[in-house]
Amino acid sequence: MTDPDPTPARDVIFGAQQERIQQRLDRLDTDLGAYIRDFAYDTVYDRPGLDLKSKELIACALLVSLGSPPELRTHIRGAMNAGATEAEVRGALLMCVPYLGFPRTVAAFEVLRQHLGRADAPAP
């Protein structure tokens, strides 16, 4: 049975940071902020087919490919908010090596290390 009132993906992904993130986007451009909220999150992320954790792990890999550390940080947090373990996030990032190379993947692991708040973040 489908939950009649599921939690919107952006509520899970952004958690307590949602208002701050939306304000940041709206300061850049209110239309842009609305497009991202309404299309990316309320339409694409909320559609069926994949669970939110899988969507967020894919988003992390795609953001590594784009070289977008601020957005990667948001989606690493989102993946973990959606139930991904540190090991699963590490696995998604490691899948980037053969396709994107070591420099982008190393940069992604630095974002993960910062997110975890550790001086050293060895594999679990």
Side-chain angles (χ1 to χ4, degrees), residues 26-91:
D26 289 344
R27 278 193 306 272
L28 294 172
D29 186 88
T30 55
D31 287 338
L32 175 64
Y35 295 153
I36 291 170
R37 181 194 61 234
D38 298 344
F39 179 70
Y41 292 100
D42 293 351
T43 301
V44 176
Y45 264 88
D46 280 341
R47 63 181 313 258
L50 289 172
D51 63 279
L52 185 55
K53 178 176 82 170
S54 297
K55 290 174 186 176
E56 279 297 273
L57 291 170
I58 292 167
C60 287
L62 293 170
L63 289 164
V64 173
S65 77
L66 293 171
S68 301
E71 290 80 9
L72 177 59
R73 185 174 303 107
T74 295
H75 288 278
I76 285 174
R77 182 184 331 106
M80 296 179 109
N81 287 348
T85 64
E86 180 182 337
E88 289 171 321
V89 173
R90 287 176 175 281

Side-chain angles (χ1 to χ4, degrees), residues 8 22 24 53 55 59 65 68 70 99 105 114 123:
Q22 189 64 50
R24 176 181 159 261
K53 178 176 82 170
K55 290 174 186 176
S65 77
S68 301
Y99 301 97
T105 306
Q114 291 171 4

Side-chain angles (χ1 to χ4, degrees), residues 64 72 76 86 89-95 97 103-116 121 123:
V64 173
L72 177 59
I76 285 174
E86 180 182 337
V89 173
R90 287 176 175 281
L93 298 181
L94 281 171
M95 284 300 300
V97 171
R104 292 238 170 159
T105 306
V106 168
F109 272 89
E110 176 60 22
V111 172
L112 175 62
R113 184 194 65 75
Q114 291 171 4
H115 171 73
L116 296 173

